[in-house]
Amino acid sequence: MENRNDIRDFLASRRARITPEEAGLPSYGSNRRVPGLRREEVALLAGVSVDYYTRLERGNLNGVSDGVLDALAGALQLDEAERAHLFDLARAANPTVRTRRRPVQEQVRPSVQRILDAITGTPAYVRNGRRDILATNRLGYALYSDMYIDAIRPVNIARFVFLSPRARTYFLNWQSTANDTVAILRSEAGRNPYDRGLMDLVDELSTLSEEFRTRWASHNVRFHRTGFKDIHHPVVGDLHLRFEAMDLPADPGLALVVYTAEAGSASEDGLNLLASWAATTEQPEQADTAHAKP
């Protein structure tokens, strides 16, 4: 039932955001009772019957072909992340396909930690799909030191964004960070619908944060592969960094994230200062032990 609701709300929300003019259809004046496209207009654009599209939007993707999904993605003008999410929802909804539970990694292999430790000039860390930080290098720990103040382990970026008051000053554009964080978790929920830890996290944040709950209901999705992070670090001040996220094929669900600053920029100076400060702080594993719950 939850999957059917997700399908219904996702398709309805994508349909509502597209005007007939944007879809190349006549609008026939202003007497329209629904925002965006009507169901029959989506059906026309996708090349399916109105009854069939209505069935899909009611959450029944059982047996739908890839060709229909592609046509639907085109009709709704889905971007890459949204198209992938639609296919993920269909995969979870199809009982004829044996959905294999992908193991969610909780630990980082020693060889991966050695790679992290070898990255000395820039922050780096390893995370799983629900945004748990599982390992860092020294500079990565220093960059995210505010997140390690709280006792819960593993540190979780989404929990920090929505439940820590420090996040509002740590992220220079908190609203954008909050939007991206929820959209990333929504994508992960589609890819890995049997991740009990992710569902527990979503339940916790939905209960404790209206900001999260409102964003979760929007059904926006996105990938987190590359981009910019604007941070106000409590020790070194503002940092404007670029990140690259690289999947670890041998460890399904884990990714290595590395931050860099533009050469000659104030942010590069800030990272150098952060490195000096990091050299005087505890090692990450020592800090984890110091703050962990008994």
Side-chain angles (χ1 to χ4, degrees):
M1 180 61 68
E2 184 175 352
N3 177 260
R4 290 176 72 96
N5 291 341
D6 285 343
I7 294 167
R8 180 196 65 206
D9 294 342
F10 178 68
L11 291 178
S13 65
R14 301 311 94 169
R15 174 168 62 86
R17 70 181 182 178
I18 304 173
T19 66
E21 292 81 4
E22 290 171 333
L25 298 173
S27 63
Y28 299 112
S30 58
N31 296 322
R32 296 178 64 89
R33 293 181 297 175
V34 297
L37 296 176
R38 299 186 178 102
R39 285 178 175 175
E40 56 265 30
E41 290 169 331
V42 177
L44 173 66
L45 292 167
V48 299
S49 71
V50 177
D51 287 345
Y52 186 65
Y53 175 73
T54 300
R55 174 202 137 188
L56 299 181
E57 195 176 289
R58 286 176 177 167
N60 186 357
L61 293 183
N62 182 24
V64 64
S65 69
D66 287 354
V68 170
L69 292 175
D70 276 326
L72 195 56
L76 294 173
Q77 301 180 14
L78 304 186
D79 64 20
E80 184 184 5
E82 291 168 331
R83 181 185 181 279
H85 187 61
L86 176 62
F87 274 76
D88 287 335
L89 291 174
R91 195 172 298 114
N94 190 345
T96 64
V97 176
R98 188 179 298 276
T99 305
R100 189 175 181 181
R101 297 191 179 191
R102 185 176 63 184
V104 178
Q105 298 291 327
E106 301 291 347
Q107 294 182 335
V108 171
R109 290 181 292 116
S111 60
V112 176
Q113 182 64 60
R114 288 194 292 271
I115 293 172
L116 278 173
D117 294 337
I119 302 173
T120 58
T122 196
Y125 68 95
V126 171
R127 56 148 176 84
N128 61 22
R130 58 179 177 256
R131 269 41 197 178
D132 292 331
I133 298 179
L134 302 180
T136 70
N137 65 357
R138 180 180 287 275
L139 203 49
Y141 172 73
L143 181 69
Y144 278 163
S145 56
D146 252 21
M147 298 188 191
Y148 283 85
I149 293 174
D150 298 323
I152 298 176
R153 294 293 181 270
V155 166
N156 181 271
I157 296 172
R159 186 178 287 112
F160 176 75
V161 169
F162 287 99
L163 301 186
S164 173
R166 297 186 303 278
R168 303 280 179 153
T169 54
Y170 181 83
F171 295 107
L172 291 173
N173 190 337
W174 183 88
Q175 294 288 345
S176 177
T177 298
N179 291 339
D180 290 346
T181 299
V182 176
I184 291 163
L185 289 182
R186 177 63 84 172
S187 291
E188 180 64 18
R191 281 191 299 271
N192 199 1
Y194 304 108
D195 182 354
R196 185 69 256 172
L198 176 59
M199 292 302 100
D200 289 343
L201 175 65
V202 170
D203 288 344
E204 175 190 359
L205 297 179
S206 296
T207 300
L208 299 177
S209 171
E210 183 178 358
E211 295 268 18
F212 179 89
R213 188 165 58 249
T214 300
R215 287 170 169 82
W216 187 255
S218 71
H219 286 264
N220 292 327
V221 293
R222 66 156 295 178
F223 291 139
H224 188 258
R225 296 168 174 167
T226 184
F228 296 92
K229 191 76 70 176
D230 299 318
I231 290 169
H232 177 78
H233 192 276
V235 175
V236 304
D238 292 354
L239 296 170
H240 305 281
L241 306 173
R242 185 174 188 92
F243 70 85
E244 300 290 338
M246 295 157 278
D247 291 338
L248 300 177
D251 301 302
L254 298 193
L256 170 65
V257 183
V258 181
Y259 290 101
T260 57
E262 185 178 351
S265 66
S267 294
E268 184 182 48
D269 294 338
L271 285 184
N272 291 333
L273 180 59
L274 185 66
S276 298
W277 178 73
T280 68
T281 62
E282 294 178 285
Q283 293 282 346
E285 61 270 23
Q286 294 172 338
D288 278 353
T289 301
H291 291 291
K293 289 181 177 180

